[in-house]
Amino acid sequence: MQSWIPLVPESASTFSWQVDALYFYLSGVTLFFALLISAVLIFFVIRYRRRTPYEIPRPIAGSHKLETIWTIIPFLIAMTMFAWGARVYFTQYKTPADAVEVYVVGKQWMWKLQHATGQREINQLHVPVGRKIKLIMTSEDVIHDFFVPAFRTKADVVPGKYTTLWFEATTPGTYHLFCAEYCGMNHSGMIGSVIVMEPREFDNWLGGNTGTTTPAAAGQQLFQTLGCASCHGANGEGGRGPTLAGVFGSETTLQTGEKVRVDEAYVRESILNPQAKIVAGFGPIMPTFQGQISEDQLVQLVAFIKSLPAGGQTQTPSASPAAPKK
Ligand code: CUA
């Protein structure tokens, strides 16, 4: 599946053609001016060469008209690049709300992935064609970078925080996955593949990997064993910490009066550094879990809290934790 220009990797996501179009535009403009300037340069060298040994050129006082023109035209061209680039950027980095979530943990030197339905993969990611996929990514050690050239997208995977990436694959096939950030000795070996399948094939693949615990269910277990439930009761009991039912995705007010959105990053921070952003009405009594739980476990806790429905009924996140149950 090579493209007709062998220099360009195959194109297999909904926005890859936009990146290509912009890239060709940038290359085209650059090439045009490089040729124009070179041609004019050569022409002037010949046309205005010194013809007699003591020839003195006619003095030039300058021209406002000319200067205005050669300021405004490049400015307009630069602005087209800016506006176009911004549009492509926002398409790529604003994740659609209806995307299916996959958790990614990078470590020296492998990619660990887990689907919301529990299936785990290493250095391989199976996805269905025509469905939006959102990757929630973090690293166990150093900075890595999740890069799929065929989808024209990449994002840094940074220790201590979550970054996200989304794509919708358009063509079934197997595509390269690279680490695009030098991360130590075996950086070049930190590779894998994204396998894009027809939806039915994908469902079969998912079905063939049963018996796995979903991240949300594993998170619920952890929530019990770590003793979180004694303060953050699912039904609002406990009382020493805010109830977590239905808070994910909402806005909460802090002691300082500030408002924050409860997203992956906030939940993560509150587990590792509970004193950073305390919810209004509660004291700074939660211990930190820094160093006590792994990135995988953090992801599971986040998935569990995400799966809690509003209202605080007893929750059993088993099959599809991504969709809050009513
Ligand atoms: Cu991981 Cu380079």
Side-chain angles (χ1 to χ4, degrees):
M1 279 202 298
Q2 263 304 337
S3 67
W4 58 277
I5 304 177
L7 290 173
V8 177
E10 52 205 334
S11 162
S13 78
T14 47
F15 49 60
S16 54
W17 68 271
Q18 297 179 5
V19 178
D20 289 352
L22 178 62
Y23 180 74
F24 285 127
Y25 173 68
L26 293 176
S27 309
V29 170
T30 310
L31 196 66
F32 173 79
F33 280 103
L35 291 177
L36 181 72
I37 291 166
S38 311
V40 170
L41 187 74
I42 292 166
F43 173 75
F44 282 179
V45 163
I46 296 166
R47 177 82 174 72
Y48 298 108
R49 69 187 185 278
R50 181 183 282 184
R51 283 152 219 262
T52 57
Y54 300 107
E55 193 179 350
I56 291 169
R58 188 164 51 86
I60 301 169
S63 160
H64 288 306
K65 202 162 117 196
L66 200 58
E67 287 200 25
T68 310
I69 289 171
W70 76 41
T71 305
I72 287 180
I73 291 177
F75 172 74
L76 292 178
I77 293 172
M79 288 317 281
T80 61
M81 292 173 181
F82 169 71
W84 190 349
R87 241 192 74 200
V88 175
Y89 179 86
F90 284 118
T91 312
Q92 280 206 13
Y93 290 98
K94 261 188 72 180
T95 311
D98 56 344
V100 177
E101 293 177 351
V102 177
Y103 292 97
V104 179
V105 177
K107 63 173 278 191
Q108 289 168 322
W109 288 276
M110 58 155 84
W111 296 106
K112 299 191 289 183
L113 302 105
Q114 188 172 25
H115 295 259
T117 42
Q119 287 79 0
R120 289 179 175 281
E121 303 191 65
I122 289 194
N123 293 341
Q124 276 199 334
L125 173 61
H126 287 77
V127 291
V129 77
R131 219 176 289 168
K132 299 185 183 83
I133 311 291
K134 175 188 182 184
L135 305 181
I136 300 168
M137 310 188 292
T138 189
S139 167
E140 273 181 26
D141 35 48
V142 298
I143 302 178
H144 302 279
D145 189 295
F146 195 96
F147 178 33
V148 186
F151 298 163
R152 307 289 189 273
T153 191
K154 64 197 270 214
D156 273 4
V157 176
V158 183
K161 67 181 277 196
Y162 290 117
T163 52
T164 59
L165 188 69
W166 85 275
F167 60 83
E168 180 181 335
T170 52
T171 322
T174 300
Y175 305 101
H176 287 298
L177 158 64
F178 294 116
C179 176
E181 181 70 51
Y182 182 67
C183 56
M185 191 173 71
N186 291 335
H187 156 72
S188 62
M190 194 169 163
I191 52 177
S193 43
V194 179
I195 297 141
V196 178
M197 308 164 102
E198 293 293 351
R200 192 183 310 158
E201 248 183 284
F202 177 73
D203 289 339
N204 280 340
W205 178 84
L206 267 191
N209 285 272
T210 48
T212 41
T213 319
T214 67
Q220 185 180 25
Q221 286 257 306
L222 268 174
F223 197 77
Q224 300 300 333
T225 50
L226 293 171
C228 314
S230 62
C231 295
H232 299 281
N235 299 301
E237 73 269 17
R240 277 166 292 178
T243 178
L244 303 177
V247 294
F248 197 90
S250 68
E251 264 199 349
T252 192
T253 310
L254 303 180
Q255 272 184 339
T256 55
E258 231 182 312
K259 284 191 183 295
V260 290
R261 178 155 294 280
V262 182
D263 55 8
E264 287 94 358
Y266 177 69
V267 173
R268 179 200 174 86
E269 182 186 51
S270 298
I271 295 169
L272 297 179
N273 184 12
Q275 320 302 338
K277 294 190 181 107
I278 298 170
V279 173
F282 295 94
I285 55 169
M286 178 171 158
T288 172
F289 288 86
Q290 184 93 53
Q292 297 178 44
I293 48 179
S294 69
E295 287 300 337
D296 281 320
Q297 291 175 316
L298 265 172
V299 157
Q300 291 165 352
L301 281 173
V302 170
F304 168 62
I305 289 166
K306 202 185 267 189
S307 75
L308 291 173
Q313 293 86 21
T314 327
Q315 352 68 30
T316 45
S318 48
S320 62
K325 279 167 219 59
K326 288 273 141 67

